[in-house]
């Protein structure tokens, strides 16, 4: 059995986030700090992804002052507590092949030092030297102590309610790790 280690190339990878509220949605990007994937005989067998929460950007708010205020709020304890928890991580525990090139990854997602088992489908394209993963992970923010304006914890929010689920759409590129 041949084992190959692929290192994530942050500059060639992207995570797009979308958070929804009663009156619309916000979207942006978040940076990948590092990570890797282990392949055995050409199939994913393990790995991890470390997210740099300090690199969260808001793309739909174009006014610089409003954008900075919103970014500060996302960095605060109402949301990601970035000073205390500068990273989030997904550690792959199991991999099921659904079809050729399509996998279900299950693992531990840790945000704000709170870990829950989660899973998602991903499509994988690989060559001898590079690997590309695309997919979507839907996260219930309240499981990670992000309760701001959640209908589960606050009543009578009306049109200020923020939905609990947010989406991470990702395209991750990794290259063979050089020893």
């Amino acid at each position: 059995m041949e084992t190959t280690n692929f290192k994530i190339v942050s500059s060639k990878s992207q995570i797009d986030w979308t958070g929804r509220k009663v009156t619309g949605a916000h979207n942006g990007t978040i940076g990948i700090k590092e990570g890797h994937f282990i392949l055995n005989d050409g199939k994913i067998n393990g790995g991890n992804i470390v997210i740099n929460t300090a690199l969260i950007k808001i793309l739909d708010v174009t006014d610089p002052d409003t954008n900075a205020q919103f970014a500060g709020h996302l960095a605060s304890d109402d949301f990601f507590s970035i000073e205390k928890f500068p990273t989030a991580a997904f550690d792959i525990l199991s991999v099921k092949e659904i079809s050729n090139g399509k996998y279900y990854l299950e693992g531990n997602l840790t945000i704000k030092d709170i870990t829950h088992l989660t899973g998602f489908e991903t499509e994988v394209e690989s060559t001898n030297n590079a690997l590309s993963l695309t997919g979507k992970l839907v996260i219930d923010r309240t499981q990670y102590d992000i309760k701001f304006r959640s209908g589960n914890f606050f009543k009578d929010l009306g049109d200020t309610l923020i939905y609990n689920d947010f989406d991470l759409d990702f395209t991750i590129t990794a290259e063979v790790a050089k020893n």
Side-chain angles (χ1 to χ4, degrees):
M1 179 169 10
E2 183 183 343
T3 300
T4 311
N5 194 19
F6 286 80
K7 185 177 178 185
I8 293 175
V9 181
S10 299
S11 62
K12 294 181 180 178
S13 301
Q14 181 164 328
I15 299 176
D16 297 310
W17 63 266
T18 304
R20 291 174 185 78
K21 55 186 181 171
V22 172
T23 58
H26 288 294
N27 69 287
T29 62
I30 191 162
I32 297 175
K33 181 177 181 178
E34 61 191 6
H36 73 282
F37 299 102
I38 300 165
L39 272 68
N40 284 339
D41 291 334
K43 298 185 187 302
I44 293 181
N45 190 38
N48 78 324
I49 304 164
V50 179
I51 307 300
N52 184 343
T53 57
L55 292 180
I56 193 164
K57 291 191 175 28
I58 300 131
L59 299 179
D60 67 299
V61 177
T62 55
D63 175 69
D65 291 337
T66 305
N67 190 296
Q69 182 181 20
F70 187 8
H73 195 202
L74 289 178
S76 78
D77 290 341
D78 280 345
F79 287 94
F80 294 101
S81 304
I82 288 171
E83 276 190 32
K84 289 183 230 163
F85 308 105
T87 62
F90 180 74
D91 295 306
I92 299 170
L93 298 176
S94 69
V95 180
K96 294 181 185 108
E97 188 170 11
I98 298 168
S99 61
N100 193 22
K102 194 174 222 175
Y103 296 86
Y104 184 80
L105 304 181
E106 191 171 69
N108 285 327
L109 178 64
T110 303
I111 301 172
K112 293 175 71 170
D113 223 14
I114 300 167
T115 302
H116 290 285
L117 185 66
T118 190
F120 56 91
E121 286 185 15
T122 183
E123 291 197 32
V124 179
E125 292 181 23
S126 63
T127 64
N128 289 341
N129 298 320
L131 184 69
S132 174
L133 284 84
T134 56
K136 175 187 273 193
L137 175 59
V138 178
I139 300 168
D140 177 349
R141 66 190 176 93
T142 63
Q143 291 185 328
Y144 301 92
D145 195 33
I146 304 172
K147 300 174 183 175
F148 185 77
R149 291 190 184 161
S150 166
N152 290 6
F153 299 94
F154 301 97
K155 298 203 180 305
D156 302 322
L157 290 169
D159 64 4
T160 66
L161 175 98
I162 300 171
Y163 295 114
N164 294 335
D165 288 347
F166 69 94
D167 301 343
L168 297 179
D169 290 287
F170 58 88
T171 301
I172 298 174
T173 298
E175 295 175 350
V176 170
K178 296 175 178 51
N179 294 336

